Structures are given as structure tokens and as C-alpha cells.
Amino acid sequence: MKYHIALLKGDGIGPEIIDEAVKCLDVVAKKFGHEFEYDTQIIGGEAIDAVGVPLPQETVDVCLASDAVLMGAVGGPRWDTIDPSIRPEVGLLGIRKALGTFVNIRPAKLYAPLADACPLKPERLGSGLDLIVCRELTGDVYFGRKWRDDDGTGHDDMNYTIPEIERIAHRAYALARKRRNHVTCVDKANVLETSRVWRETVERIACEYPDVTTDYQYVDNASMQLVLNPSQFDVILTGNLFGDILSDEASCITGSIGMLPSASLGDGPLGLYEPIHGSAPDIAGKNIANPIATILSAAMMLRYSFNLDAEAQTIEDAIDAVLEAGLRTGDIAKQNEQSISCTEMGNAIANAIAS
Ligand code: NAD
């Protein structure tokens, strides 16, 4: 089958890591008899340099006409001092909005060969760390009314509508069904009215998924449980504010930022897939970046936008295999351990996919 993929390489290490992901996708296409057609468009600093804005209309049009969007990263010191309304990050927020995404999915997985990179004591890891934070993106206190009174008191309105909660809850349950059938709803329903609406709505939706176990945690407890007993989690379903904090907490217990992918999804299959790290200007152009987060983002694209589970699993297994074989880019190598380049890591994963 033929799939159209918009590629947004962006700035810094963006082009290097996207090239390695494309290399792996091409091997998947050959192995499984698919055709991936790429259309590369500009975003962020490269777009500011080329046309004066971080998100040209042509980029938006191509992304909307594609089956999925695979992105590197945007930004860098060159654009730090320009007008804030056209900074590279504006392009990133703009494309997420243009695609109608409302859920951000961030898996946090600790690979056994990298267990040393985890800041938790080994006995805390139990059966391992392999969870997904499913964070709502369009509501909550971030998008409520913000104002100050004459005496300087600050206010942020926190809102959630029932339809906003329902649509992300369905997404979380669908995800859980592709994993270990377990959803943990995280809120602050003992204190916040928005959280009480959130929990009641999730309780109602949960009845539609009797094969999925649901449990409920207050966010203060969940943040403790993440470091005390992270293996209890499969899919964490939560709002924008709590998801922002918990997804960073979950990602830091896996070790390197160079290993973590993400997906932003809306109603349909079209999604935006990108590593969680930035453009790493300090290592750009040196061919030493870790491409694994981007290659894993490509695997998420196959699974969530194209429904190609076996193909996604093949990429994930190939990454397991190269790590097991001891191959490391600089960010995940131990002191005095030999490291390989971004290209060599991409080649090794591509070869493992092919074999
Ligand atoms: P960063 O994630 O780019 O880098 C933080 C540190 O992690 C750096 O030392 C970097 O070398 C390292 N690192 C990141 N990705 C790596 C990889 N794949 N392999 C090896 N090492 C890696 O964060 P930052 O330095 O705070 O931001 C740099 C620029 O990126 C800024 O302009 C920022 O605004 C932008 N940014 C963009 C995104 C995005 O596009 N989604 C996200 C975060 C930051």
C-alpha cells in the first residue's frame, strides 16, 4: 500500500535524525511491500530564513494532504532574538493546531541494556518501565481566561468540557487495548471541579471497555508512584497540566532524552510524530546525535496513523537488538565506552530491520 508522509526536518540535528528515520522506513517498505512517498517541507528557523515565517502555508497544506507528518525539531540560538511572534516554536504550535491534534502520546520505556541510565534503584523497577502518558492538549488551565485584578491578584480559569474528556478517554482506551489493557486516570478530583467532571466522564467511558482495567489516582500520589513503583502503569490518562508535568517526570526516569518519541493525534488517523528532544544545536552537524527517538517516532507513525503494528514492532525489535549488541551513540554510552555516529546507528537499525 502507498502512504504519503510529510517530512519536516527543521533545525539543528533535525535533518540528521530524520534522514536515519527515512532510511529505516525505506527498509520497512521493502520488507513488507509498502510504498512510502515523502514530501519535505520547511518549518521553524529554516523557514524563517527562507521565507520570513516559521510555518509557511505550503507546509500546512502539504501536511494536511498527507497520511502523517514526521518532524525533527525546531529552534536554535540564531533565532532566539527575533520577534517572538515569528520564532521557530510558533511554527511548532501552529502545525499541531492546524492538524487538529488534541492528544499527546509519550511512551516512556526503559531498555534493559540501558538500565544503568535510570536514576531509580534497580529494586524500584519491578517488572520494568514501559508506560504511555496520554496528555490532553487543548483544554485545562493553559487555555482558560487569564487576568489580573487591580490589586495585582492573578487568575487562570481551569475548564474542561465533557466532549473534550470523552474524546481523549476513547483514545486512551484504544491505546490500552493495543498494550496491556490498563488505564490509570490521573486527576485531582478531591479538590478540583474540573477533575470531578474528568473522573465522572472517565468512569462512564470505562464501562464501554470492560476488557480494560481502570484505576484512579490523584496527581500527587501518581507523581510519587512514578518513582516508587513505575511498573504498575500502562496508559496514564490525564489532562493538560498534570500531563505536562508527569510526562517529563516519566521521561527522565528512562535515562536519555535521545531515546524518547512522541505522537500528537486528533480525530482521524493523521498525526504528527516527533522526538521529545529539541534541535540540540550544541551537537548539530557533527553526526553524533542519537536518531533512536526519531526512528521510534516513525514506528509510532506506522502503528497509530497507518495501523501497521507488525511493521512498527519490527522497528522496535531492531532497536532492542542493536542496544542488546552494545551499540551506543555518545549520549547513551558509558564513560570510556566506545560510541558510534548517528549514521552508523541508523545503518545498524536498518540492517537489523532487514534481517
Ligand atoms: P535539546 O533537547 O535540544 O537539548 C538538550 C540536551 O540534550 C543537549 O545537550 C543536547 O545535545 C542533548 N540532546 C538532545 N537530543 C539529543 C539526541 N537526539 N542525541 C544526543 N543528544 C541529544 O534542548 P535545548 O538545548 O533546551 O533546546 C535547543 C533548541 O531546541 C532550542 O531552540 C529549543 O527552543 C528547541 N526545542 C525544540 C523542541 C521541538 O522542536 N519539539 C523541543 C524542545 C526544545
Side-chain angles (χ1 to χ4, degrees), residues 13 73-76 89 92 257-258 274 277-283 289-290 331:
I13 59 171
V74 298
E89 296 77 9
L92 183 62
I257 198 172
E274 54 180 321
H277 60 71
S279 60
D282 52 332
I283 57 167
N290 185 348
D331 58 311

Side-chain angles (χ1 to χ4, degrees), residues 218-259:
Y218 298 134
V219 63
D220 37 354
N221 182 30
S223 62
M224 283 195 300
Q225 293 301 323
L226 262 177
V227 290
L228 291 175
N229 178 17
S231 63
Q232 70 183 284
F233 295 109
D234 179 16
V235 175
I236 293 177
L237 163 61
T238 192
N240 205 345
L241 173 65
F242 303 149
D244 191 0
I245 299 162
L246 291 180
S247 59
D248 269 20
E249 186 187 354
S251 61
C252 85
I253 53 182
T254 64
S256 172
I257 198 172
M259 299 286 299

Side-chain angles (χ1 to χ4, degrees), residues 109-175:
K109 178 174 169 177
L110 181 65
Y111 289 83
L114 300 182
D116 282 354
C118 177
L120 302 184
K121 289 182 184 153
E123 60 267 29
R124 293 268 178 232
L125 290 173
S127 55
L129 171 65
D130 180 6
L131 60 87
I132 283 187
V133 179
C134 195
R135 167 191 172 192
E136 207 283 334
L137 279 182
T138 65
D140 212 333
V141 69
Y142 291 2
F143 292 95
R145 185 177 157 230
K146 297 169 188 305
W147 76 101
R148 287 188 196 193
D149 294 337
D150 292 342
D151 67 358
T153 308
H155 303 266
D156 294 279
D157 253 359
M158 191 169 197
N159 308 293
Y160 260 121
T161 67
I162 291 172
E164 276 173 334
I165 304 164
E166 285 173 340
R167 65 183 184 178
I168 187 177
H170 283 297
R171 275 283 184 180
Y173 279 93
L175 272 174

